[in-house]
């Protein structure tokens, strides 16, 4: 059996000595590490400063080139804006003729057109106004049905037919058992083979005389027909001036070959070319929003200054 006859203070003193030595070594290592980090950081900072000084002339040269490029780009903004505006106006010049060519086949042949006008409503709709002459009220009633065949036509309104000259068959009355057809503007026609206040040869003769006295015996030049000066022809004595207004909207379900271009917003040169919308050096021109400033389609689209303008007329 082994006995430990040393007091406990002896073993604890040895442990304390060992801990002190270990702490001293750790302190020395910390100091050495701090010194190494300071030296290394200083060397890295010095190297970075040297690289910055070496790259500074190159960076200044690149910035100078960039400023020159911005100056050149800014000098071409006006030229590009003019080119874009001219291209948009060239496309706009073709919109109305192409639209009229597409609409004319749907106009009935019994309606002689003297005036055709398109008024933009929005980018997806427009109003087509047709002014001309027509002969009878029946044709006046049939024309809207024919105009509704226009692709995208939604509604048709009409105005202008005021005097009814169509033939009408009257009701039978006690004094007229024949009820001959007559024109609305000429009054009831007396039958030849019926006696009474509204019949007989004498009444028929007086009726024809009264109708003849209301006519003209000489040249009147009504409707500019027969005049040596070439002017627009209007309505003949048996015809009337009328007008039809068709609301046309873009129909997304219609075939591509039947689609009509109803966007008649026109380039606005004043808004497109004024200095306020031109780009400055290194900056993009702001896009004009809807309203008096017009519309912009963004990059690759029409130039700013697209605004809805009154429609063309022919």
């Amino acid at each position: 059996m082994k006995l430990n006859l040393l007091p406990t203070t002896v073993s604890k003193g040895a442990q304390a000595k060992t801990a002190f030595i270990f702490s001293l070594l750790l302190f020395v290592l910390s100091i050495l590490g701090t010194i190494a980090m300071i030296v290394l950081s200083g060397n890295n900072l010095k190297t970075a400063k040297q690289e910055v000084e070496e790259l500074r002339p190159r960076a200044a040269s690149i910035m100078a080139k960039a400023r020159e490029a911005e100056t050149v780009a800014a000098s071409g903004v006006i030229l590009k804006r003019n080119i874009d505006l001219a291209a948009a106006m060239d496309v706009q010049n073709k919109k109305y003729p192409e639209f009229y060519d597409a609409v004319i086949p749907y106009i009935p042949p019994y309606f002689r057109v003297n005036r055709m006008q398109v008024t933009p409503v929005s980018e997806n709709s427009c109003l087509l106004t047709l002014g001309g002459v027509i002969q009878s009220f029946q044709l006046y009633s049939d024309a809207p049905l024919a105009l509704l065949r226009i692709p995208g036509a939604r509604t048709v309104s009409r105005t202008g037919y005021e005097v009814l000259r169509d033939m009408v068959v009257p009701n039978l009355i006690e004094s007229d058992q024949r009820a001959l057809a007559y024109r609305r503007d000429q009054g009831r026609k007396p039958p030849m083979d019926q006696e009474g206040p509204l019949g007989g040869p004498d009444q028929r003769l007086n009726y024809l005389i009264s109708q003849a006295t209301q006519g003209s015996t000489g040249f009147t030049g009504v409707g500019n027909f027969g005049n040596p000066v070439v002017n627009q022809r209007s309505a003949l004595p048996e015809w009337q001036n009328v007008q039809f207004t068709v609301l046309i909207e873009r129909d997304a379900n219609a075939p591509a070959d039947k689609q009509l271009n109803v966007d008649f917003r026109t380039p606005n040169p004043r808004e497109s070319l004024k200095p306020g919308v031109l780009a400055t050096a290194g900056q993009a021109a702001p896009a004009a929003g809807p309203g008096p400033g017009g519309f912009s389609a963004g990059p690759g689209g029409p130039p700013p200054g697209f605004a809805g303008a009154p429609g063309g007329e022919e």
Side-chain angles (χ1 to χ4, degrees):
M1 183 173 72
K2 183 178 180 180
L3 296 176
N4 187 7
L5 300 177
L6 295 175
T8 57
T9 55
V10 175
S11 61
K12 290 183 179 181
Q15 293 177 359
K17 184 178 180 180
T18 303
F20 175 75
I21 294 173
F22 179 77
S23 300
L24 183 62
L25 291 175
L26 183 62
F27 176 73
V28 173
L29 291 175
S30 301
I31 294 176
L32 293 176
T34 303
I35 295 173
M37 293 178 63
I38 293 173
V39 174
L40 180 62
S41 299
N43 293 335
N44 291 338
L45 178 61
K46 183 178 180 180
T47 303
K49 289 182 178 180
Q50 291 177 354
E51 292 179 354
V52 168
E53 294 300 328
E54 292 175 357
L55 295 177
R56 190 182 299 278
R58 184 179 177 185
S61 176
I62 294 175
M63 290 297 297
K65 292 292 182 181
R67 293 191 185 94
E68 293 178 3
E70 291 176 355
T71 303
V72 173
S75 64
V77 168
I78 297 178
L79 179 60
K80 184 178 184 303
R81 182 64 56 85
N82 292 339
I83 293 175
D84 291 343
L85 178 62
M89 295 175 68
D90 184 59
V91 172
Q92 182 68 22
N93 290 336
K94 301 176 182 178
K95 285 185 179 180
Y96 289 97
E98 292 175 352
F99 180 83
Y100 293 141
D101 290 341
V103 167
I104 286 175
Y106 297 96
I107 300 176
Y110 50 79
F111 174 49
R112 177 162 59 83
V113 179
N114 290 333
R115 181 173 58 89
M116 183 183 302
Q117 180 179 1
V118 175
T119 303
V121 176
S122 68
E123 58 191 39
N124 294 317
S125 61
C126 66
L127 283 177
L128 172 64
T129 303
L130 302 173
V133 296
I134 209 164
Q135 188 173 15
S136 66
F137 186 79
Q138 182 60 53
L139 298 179
Y140 179 66
S141 302
D142 295 341
L145 300 177
L147 294 176
L148 282 173
R149 298 182 300 117
I150 299 175
R154 294 294 179 264
T155 60
V156 179
S157 59
R158 57 184 183 175
T159 183
Y161 202 97
E162 300 176 353
V163 181
L164 295 177
R165 296 191 177 95
D166 292 9
M167 300 297 291
V168 61
V169 178
N171 297 328
L172 294 175
I173 59 177
E174 182 179 357
S175 59
D176 183 6
Q177 296 296 311
R178 296 292 184 272
L180 301 177
Y182 65 91
R183 277 191 4 180
R184 292 180 182 271
D185 60 331
Q186 294 180 352
R188 199 178 188 101
K189 184 182 296 184
M192 289 283 293
D193 55 349
Q194 179 176 316
E195 298 297 334
L198 295 178
D202 293 339
Q203 295 295 334
R204 173 64 73 84
L205 180 60
N206 293 333
Y207 173 82
L208 296 176
I209 292 174
S210 66
Q211 296 297 326
T213 56
Q214 296 176 7
S216 301
T217 58
F219 174 72
T220 59
V222 175
N224 290 327
F225 287 92
N227 292 323
V229 180
V230 179
N231 293 322
Q232 178 177 305
R233 305 292 192 256
S234 61
L236 288 166
E238 301 297 327
W239 295 55
Q240 295 193 49
N241 292 305
V242 296
Q243 178 176 294
F244 297 96
T245 303
V246 187
L247 174 62
I248 303 176
E249 297 179 354
R250 186 184 304 277
D251 188 1
N253 298 324
D257 57 339
K258 296 294 184 180
Q259 287 279 1
L260 294 181
N261 184 9
V262 296
D263 185 4
F264 291 97
R265 295 175 300 166
T266 59
N268 191 332
R270 185 181 300 276
E271 293 296 329
S272 296
L273 301 179
K274 68 181 183 181
V277 300
L278 295 180
T280 58
Q283 296 181 354
F295 290 81
S296 174
F306 252 68
E313 179 178 339
E314 70 171 26

